């Protein structure tokens, strides 16, 4: 996906939110949840860090995996604490899971 598509959607979100960055972010996240190309374009620059975090999480000892979600995320219930991107861990994992499924479907179509 080209940067111009993502940049255009970002500008569109800012205009629709009348300049409110918080509202533009929410709008862009909602669009990305429904638009695999937009999600992929937004996530691409951060994919290495996302993959490293997924590997780190999978490599943790089994005892950490069995601990309550609040202890793992450092507070809140179920990983609800926002990450640096503004998404909660659960929301980010859900989006990445959907992105992976969309990639599998696009491979099947080829």
């Amino acid at each position: 996906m080209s940067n111009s598509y993502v940049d255009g959607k970002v500008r569109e979100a800012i205009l629709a939110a009348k300049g409110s960055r918080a509202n533009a972010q929410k709008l862009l996240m909602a669009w990305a949840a429904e638009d695999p190309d937009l999600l992929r374009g937004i996530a691409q620059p951060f994919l290495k860090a996302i993959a490293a975090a997924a590997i780190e999480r999978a490599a943790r000892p089994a005892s950490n995996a069995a601990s309550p979600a609040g202890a793992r995320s450092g507070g809140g219930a179920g990983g609800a604490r926002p990450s640096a991107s503004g998404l909660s861990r659960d929301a980010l994992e859900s989006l990445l899971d959907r992105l992976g499924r969309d990639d599998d479907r696009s491979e099947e179509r080829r």
Side-chain angles (χ1 to χ4, degrees):
M1 186 58 23
S2 70
N3 284 340
S4 62
Y5 177 69
V6 173
D7 292 344
K9 295 301 277 185
V10 169
R11 283 190 295 274
E12 186 179 340
I14 292 168
L15 287 172
K18 297 183 172 92
S20 167
R21 289 182 180 199
N23 289 340
Q25 181 181 11
K26 290 175 186 175
L27 186 55
L28 195 60
M29 289 168 45
W31 290 344
E34 300 298 322
D35 182 347
D37 291 333
L38 178 59
L39 176 60
R40 194 173 295 111
I42 290 171
Q44 187 63 42
F46 307 100
L47 196 52
K48 184 176 180 180
I50 292 168
I55 291 168
E56 182 67 28
R57 184 178 59 248
R60 287 186 191 139
S63 62
N64 282 349
S67 69
R72 248 192 354 258
S73 67
R81 188 180 73 174
S83 66
S85 69
L87 288 175
S88 71
R89 177 175 288 178
D90 292 343
L92 183 57
E93 287 177 7
S94 174
L95 286 172
L96 292 173
D97 182 53
R98 291 173 71 186
L99 179 61
R101 286 195 309 257
D102 290 339
D103 284 345
D104 291 343
R105 288 186 204 139
S106 65
E107 289 295 323
E108 291 173 2
R109 285 185 232 144
R110 290 182 189 170

